[in-house]
């Protein structure tokens, strides 16, 4: 079992910045992607950004140019640098690790979530 531990959420004023971190307890056998999703009150969980082992990234249109996802393979950690934050970015942010175990069973791991609140 892989555990994901997130940190870095908090309260920030509009226009400010936060950096989220997510560390996996161990490697997964085959990793498809690692990334961040968010869920605001009354809304469905949505993709924010993902990164694949080769380094390619994918962003939601709403965060392009403001958020940057990166990964430190040696530390099994993924980061989300969030700049120019807006009140609409307020949500619980969840880390995700998607891939396969050594028996080639599909695995989808989630962190416990970290609250990001942007005040206007």
């Amino acid at each position: 079992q892989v555990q994901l531990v997130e940190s870095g959420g908090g309260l920030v004023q509009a226009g400010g910045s936060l950096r989220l971190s997510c560390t996996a307890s161990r490697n997964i056998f085959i990793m498809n992607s690692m990334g961040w999703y968010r869920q605001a009150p009354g809304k469905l969980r949505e993709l924010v950004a993902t990164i694949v082992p080769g380094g390619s990234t994918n962003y939601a249109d709403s965060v392009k140019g403001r958020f940057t996802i990166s990964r430190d393979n040696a530390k099994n950690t993924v980061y989300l640098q969030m700049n120019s934050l807006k009140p609409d970015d307020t949500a619980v942010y969840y880390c995700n690790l998607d891939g396969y175990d050594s028996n080639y069973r599909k695995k989808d791991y989630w962190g416990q979530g970290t609250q990001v609140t942007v005040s206007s």
Side-chain angles (χ1 to χ4, degrees):
Q1 191 75 0
V2 176
Q3 294 180 335
L4 303 177
V5 179
E6 301 145 338
S7 62
L11 173 64
V12 65
Q13 289 188 331
S17 298
L18 284 173
R19 188 194 195 206
L20 305 183
S21 300
C22 171
T23 299
S25 58
R26 62 176 180 83
N27 285 320
I28 194 171
F29 186 66
I30 297 174
M31 189 187 82
N32 287 336
S33 68
M34 200 165 178
W36 295 92
Y37 291 71
R38 67 186 182 187
Q39 187 167 17
K43 295 187 177 180
L44 297 175
R45 191 173 296 188
E46 63 177 3
L47 179 145
V48 177
T50 58
I51 187 166
V52 297
S56 295
T57 57
N58 181 48
Y59 295 94
D61 287 343
S62 59
V63 306
K64 283 180 181 177
R66 300 187 297 122
F67 291 10
T68 302
I69 189 169
S70 60
R71 187 166 182 259
D72 185 332
N73 292 329
K75 296 181 179 180
N76 288 338
T77 298
V78 65
Y79 305 97
L80 185 69
Q81 178 65 44
M82 305 185 293
N83 298 328
S84 302
L85 283 161
K86 305 175 181 179
D88 284 348
D89 295 318
T90 296
V92 177
Y93 284 69
Y94 296 91
C95 180
N96 172 261
L97 172 59
D98 172 67
Y100 295 86
D101 66 13
S102 57
N103 293 313
Y104 297 97
R105 291 175 297 196
K106 188 73 165 64
K107 293 293 183 181
D108 197 20
Y109 297 105
W110 292 92
Q112 79 283 0
T114 185
Q115 177 71 46
V116 171
T117 303
V118 184
S119 63
S120 56

